[in-house]
Amino acid sequence: MVSEKKTGVLAGFKAFLMRGNVVDLAVAVVIGAAFTNIVNSVVKGIISPLVGAIGTKDLDAYSSCLKSPCQTNAKGEVVSGIPIMWGSVLNATLSFLITAAVVYFLMVLPMAKYLAKQELRRKAREGVQETMEITELEVLKEIRDALVAQRNAGGQGRDASA
């Protein structure tokens, strides 16, 4: 009974791993990790220096003191006061916004445009197929109507001659 349970669990686990979603997720994680390096390089190598040219490169140094006086020792540890490190929060927020903008403008927007073009092409192909199917149906109806008319015309001629 224990071996059957293990076999069932292992078979279930194997089925879980073989589903497409798990493989797709694994691929997405690997690609995401590689893409993170690209985005970080763009942000650190291009965007941050541009922002630094306008303002300052190191926002982490900005802080306010909630309880004066704020003093630190040589190691950077707070000796007195309660510092509010709002510069690091601002730095993280700006890094997030810059990273999100890079991802959106360099990946999401071009991919959305590409997918929209693909969808238009697919709809155009389907429209042509629908038009052809409708035209085919209309031709078949015309043939049927012509055969019915021919049969009726031939039938009326026989009835009149008989």
Side-chain angles (χ1 to χ4, degrees), residues 113-127:
K113 287 182 180 180
Y114 173 76
L115 292 175
K117 285 181 183 178
Q118 293 296 341
E119 183 67 18
L120 286 174
R121 289 181 185 148
R122 186 187 62 80
K123 285 184 178 180
R125 277 182 286 176
E126 285 179 0

Side-chain angles (χ1 to χ4, degrees), residues 10-36:
L10 290 176
F13 184 67
K14 181 180 176 184
F16 169 74
L17 289 178
M18 293 302 161
R19 279 194 287 182
N21 296 346
V22 174
V23 175
D24 291 343
L25 181 61
V27 170
V29 167
V30 170
I31 295 296
F35 185 67
T36 299

Side-chain angles (χ1 to χ4, degrees), residues 63-85:
S63 64
S64 297
C65 192
L66 186 62
K67 184 176 178 184
S68 295
C70 283
Q71 296 176 347
T72 57
N73 59 15
K75 295 179 184 177
E77 298 170 345
V78 176
V79 177
S80 66
I82 301 173
I84 304 295
M85 308 301 285

Side-chain angles (χ1 to χ4, degrees), residues 4 14 18 22 30 44 61 108 125 131 139 152 154 157 159 162:
E4 290 176 13
K14 181 180 176 184
M18 293 302 161
V22 174
V30 170
K44 288 179 184 174
V108 174
R125 277 182 286 176
T131 304
V139 168
N152 287 342
D159 290 341

